[in-house]
Amino acid sequence: MSQESLEENLRKLQPLLKEFAAQPIQHCINGEAVASADGGTFSNHSPIDESIIGEVAAGNVDDIDKACRAAEEAFVSWASMAGKQRRDLLHAIADAIEANAESIALVESWDTGQPLRFMSKAAIRGAENYRFFADMAPNARNGLSLPAQHHMNYSVRQPIGPVGIITPWNTPFMLSTWKIAPALAAGCTVVHKPAEWSPCSASMLVKIMLDAGLPKGVVNTVQGIGEVAGKALTEHAAIKAIAFVGESRTGSEIMKQGAATLKRVHFELGGKNPVIVFDDADLDRALDAVIFMIYSLNGERCTSSSRLLIQKGIAGEFIECVKERVAKLKLGHPLNPATEVGPLIHEKHREKVASYFDIAQQEGANIAIGGSKAAFEGKGCFVEPTLFTNANNSMRIAQEEIFGPVLTAIEFEDEKEAIAIANGVNYGLAAYVWTGDAGRSIRLGRDLDAGMIWINSENNRHLPSPFGGMKASGIGRDGGDYSFDFYMETKNVCIATNNHSVPKLAKN
Ligand code: NAD
């Protein structure tokens, strides 16, 4: 069945790829598809066979300026549009995403190397993001009533203005919708700069939004290189806030670049997330979750559980089970529905991930399984799903984000040591705990330094809940009303309720 489905998926993909090959992916500025002002382009490759998908417009300062001006102009009417009207438009976009979900998933899979089994869900999740924030749009401006003795205080919110959204290449479609949908629901207009290694689905998204009736200039997409187009966006005076998803190091650069114009920033950055398995846990369920949370999405996932902290008494047996499962992972063509692990996004990224195979050995860890580059039918930016054992928390393989299908196992004695190891990294995005002890789960929820903690569960999405990281993993939270806190200004209005005594100066 799999091979047949692969053929069928490749057949469906061909007309879509033809469009990307026919002419460069262009920017979308003020509702128009346009080339870069200086005509510059760059090439985009598929990590599956390294073939060229097509050329892409390389945005520069002038293109960003045009896009920001368009977003500034569109802001006036978009921000004042009735919330219910914005809601209806966002639902129309969600409908259109659902109608195009298969094409989006096929293209995303080809562009990024992510297995189709995950990308088909990612496109649907993108639509869910629009629906969720659509329903919040009518009440986005709501505030609080804060009465005092002789005054009535009430707060109202208003959209902050045009915002810049900068997204990475791992699940690029889903992540773009996760940022753009709340911005639009809040009443902001957007300039979106997608990652240069995965430009395709962003160009599909902006077209879908315009076709669904989004007024021109409300979302503008400028393709291009981070240090050029991204940098110009973070420095533009018309842009009031930057929502950024990407590496911690880039977040730091963006903070510097945005300092002169006092940008509000929201950062979703890297992680080195622990999954802590105690000896009292349901070990079968824990094993499923450990495997899923590092080897799905090629391990290119900010919330991946890349450190397995395993209690000493059960470590030998549990690690053996992990190893057996890793050996059975289906590496292959990402458009084959049976494939579980596809190629990494780019040769440069593969080099980075593979460099940790040498580092692990130099540091004295064991490579229990994997540890080499791989290929499918002789091609592709693959690495073998890998497990490092005999590691300790001071090693680079325990401290640095590898961002591939690579798991580092570290043993611990007791709860205290597990917490110390879990917290002993610069990152603090997510943590996963497997235990049968209710009290312990509450203690770990309190003591782990991570923005999101899942107990006896894998990464389970809940859109109203706060999503984001501590320490080097981020600033700010997304989800539900947390997103509106970022995309909106809160104003307080204070009205006297009586003729209270006003302090008098220079009266005599
Ligand atoms: P990256 O930081 O290299 O690039 C992200 C985006 O920033 C791209 O669009 C890039 O062009 C742009 N960029 C690069 N330099 C810039 C600059 N100087 N100014 C403005 N923009 C610039 O990240 P990546 O390699 O594309 O993505 C992988 C990283 O993203 C990982 O660290 C991963 O953990 C992180 N991530 C975090 C989350 C989260 O929710 N915390 C989610 C997904 C990915």
Side-chain angles (χ1 to χ4, degrees):
M1 98 103 180
S2 315
Q3 197 57 29
E4 256 173 46
S5 303
L6 170 61
E7 299 308 325
E8 176 66 6
N9 287 335
L10 287 170
R11 193 188 59 72
K12 286 186 198 156
L13 179 68
Q14 286 323 304
L16 301 164
L17 286 186
K18 260 192 193 155
E19 280 180 39
F20 287 112
Q23 58 164 344
I25 292 179
Q26 299 193 308
H27 312 303
C28 179
I29 300 177
N30 209 21
E32 303 289 331
V34 288
S36 286
D38 64 4
T41 61
F42 62 94
S43 303
N44 178 34
H45 297 80
S46 170
I48 301 172
D49 60 2
E50 291 170 62
S51 62
I52 289 194
I53 299 175
E55 293 298 303
V56 185
N60 61 24
V61 179
D62 294 335
D63 305 308
I64 287 288
D65 183 56
K66 279 185 207 140
C68 294
R69 299 284 162 223
E72 199 175 30
E73 210 180 304
F75 177 70
V76 181
S77 52
W78 182 250
S80 56
M81 182 186 276
K84 283 184 180 167
Q85 211 181 330
R86 276 206 304 276
R87 177 192 64 195
D88 294 347
L89 259 168
L90 296 184
H91 274 297
I93 294 171
D95 292 342
I97 291 174
E98 279 164 3
N100 287 282
E102 188 179 47
S103 304
I104 295 165
L106 289 166
V107 168
E108 189 91 311
S109 207
W110 188 260
D111 198 15
T112 64
Q114 290 285 2
L116 190 63
R117 60 161 62 212
F118 304 121
M119 288 308 95
S120 42
K121 291 188 190 110
I124 296 299
R125 283 179 163 198
E128 280 168 13
N129 289 337
Y130 277 92
R131 292 213 189 283
F132 175 78
F133 285 108
D135 290 336
M136 290 184 67
N139 296 320
R141 286 176 178 261
N142 286 3
L144 295 173
S145 136
L146 301 159
Q149 183 68 31
H150 300 303
H151 289 86
M152 180 61 201
N153 288 274
Y154 66 91
S155 66
V156 287
R157 296 193 293 198
Q158 67 186 48
I160 190 169
V163 297
I165 291 178
I166 302 179
T167 47
W169 44 257
N170 68 314
T171 61
F173 184 84
M174 205 289 284
L175 283 172
S176 303
T177 62
W178 176 234
K179 296 284 157 186
I180 294 173
L184 296 181
C188 295
T189 53
V190 171
V191 178
H192 177 207
K193 209 300 283 171
E196 50 269 50
W197 284 352
S198 60
C200 294
S201 62
S203 80
M204 295 171 89
L205 175 62
V206 69
K207 188 166 181 311
I208 285 171
M209 288 191 282
L210 287 167
D211 290 350
L214 194 73
K216 63 181 190 170
V218 173
V219 175
N220 306 273
T221 301
V222 178
Q223 302 281 355
I225 307 302
E227 291 78 0
V228 181
K231 179 170 184 286
L233 181 57
T234 61
E235 291 174 345
H236 202 286
I239 296 295
K240 302 302 170 209
I242 295 284
F244 168 72
V245 186
E247 284 189 29
S248 304
R249 204 180 41 229
T250 315
S252 241
E253 287 306 309
I254 289 177
M255 213 171 221
K256 287 182 220 152
Q257 293 160 193
T261 48
L262 292 172
K263 288 281 182 297
R264 180 183 289 185
V265 294
H266 185 187
F267 288 165
E268 290 181 14
L269 309 174
K272 190 73 182 177
N273 311 298
V275 51
I276 310 173
V277 181
F278 288 94
D279 58 10
D280 58 12
D282 179 333
L283 295 178
D284 290 335
R285 288 170 57 74
L287 179 63
D288 287 341
V290 165
I291 299 291
F292 180 74
M293 281 311 302
I294 183 64
Y295 299 108
S296 61
L297 294 171
N298 300 340
E300 296 166 316
R301 174 189 214 151
C302 57
T303 50
S304 73
S305 56
S306 49
R307 288 186 297 154
L308 165 62
L309 311 192
I310 179 81
Q311 194 152 21
K312 276 203 172 119
I314 54 165
E317 204 178 324
F318 194 84
I319 286 173
E320 207 41 48
C321 294
V322 172
K323 203 172 136 186
E324 275 170 28
R325 291 280 286 272
V326 174
K328 286 196 243 161
L329 285 167
K330 292 183 194 76
L331 184 136
H333 196 298
L335 292 185
N336 184 335
T339 293
E340 292 170 326
V341 180
L344 299 178
I345 180 79
H346 195 278
E347 187 50 37
K348 277 192 194 154
H349 185 57
R350 174 161 80 154
E351 285 304 323
K352 178 196 147 176
V353 172
S355 73
Y356 284 93
F357 302 152
D358 294 334
I359 292 169
Q361 281 171 321
Q362 287 154 15
E363 290 183 317
N366 288 338
I367 299 181
I369 187 164
S372 297
K373 290 182 185 172
F376 175 71
E377 295 181 345
K379 297 182 205 147
C381 302
F382 291 86
V383 296
E384 290 173 349
T386 297
L387 171 67
F388 297 142
T389 54
N390 196 32
N392 65 56
N393 211 36
S394 63
M395 293 178 177
R396 287 181 61 193
I397 55 167
Q399 291 287 323
E400 298 175 11
E401 185 184 48
I402 299 174
F403 220 55
V406 180
L407 177 63
T408 300
I410 303 171
E411 298 180 21
F412 67 88
E413 200 76 54
D414 55 16
E415 186 178 312
K416 192 165 166 241
E417 193 188 8
I419 294 169
I421 297 172
N423 290 345
V425 291
N426 286 335
Y427 295 107
L429 185 60
Y432 306 85
V433 179
W434 287 87
T435 178
D437 180 337
R440 170 182 279 158
S441 65
I442 293 170
R443 288 194 296 279
L444 268 82
R446 180 193 63 199
D447 295 340
L448 288 173
D449 293 338
M452 296 169 286
I453 298 164
W454 279 274
I455 313 268
N456 294 331
S457 189
E458 76 289 4
N459 178 341
N460 223 287
R461 212 165 93 110
H462 183 236
L463 297 181
S465 297
F467 184 103
M470 294 167 61
K471 305 199 282 187
S473 290
I475 296 175
R477 295 292 179 269
D478 251 324
D481 209 50
Y482 297 94
S483 298
F484 287 163
D485 274 346
F486 176 70
Y487 292 110
M488 303 186 87
E489 290 283 16
T490 298
K491 295 197 300 198
N492 189 62
V493 181
C494 178
I495 307 170
T497 51
N498 68 356
N499 287 335
H500 67 286
S501 137
V502 178
K504 297 174 180 53
L505 291 181
K507 194 72 176 160
N508 298 311

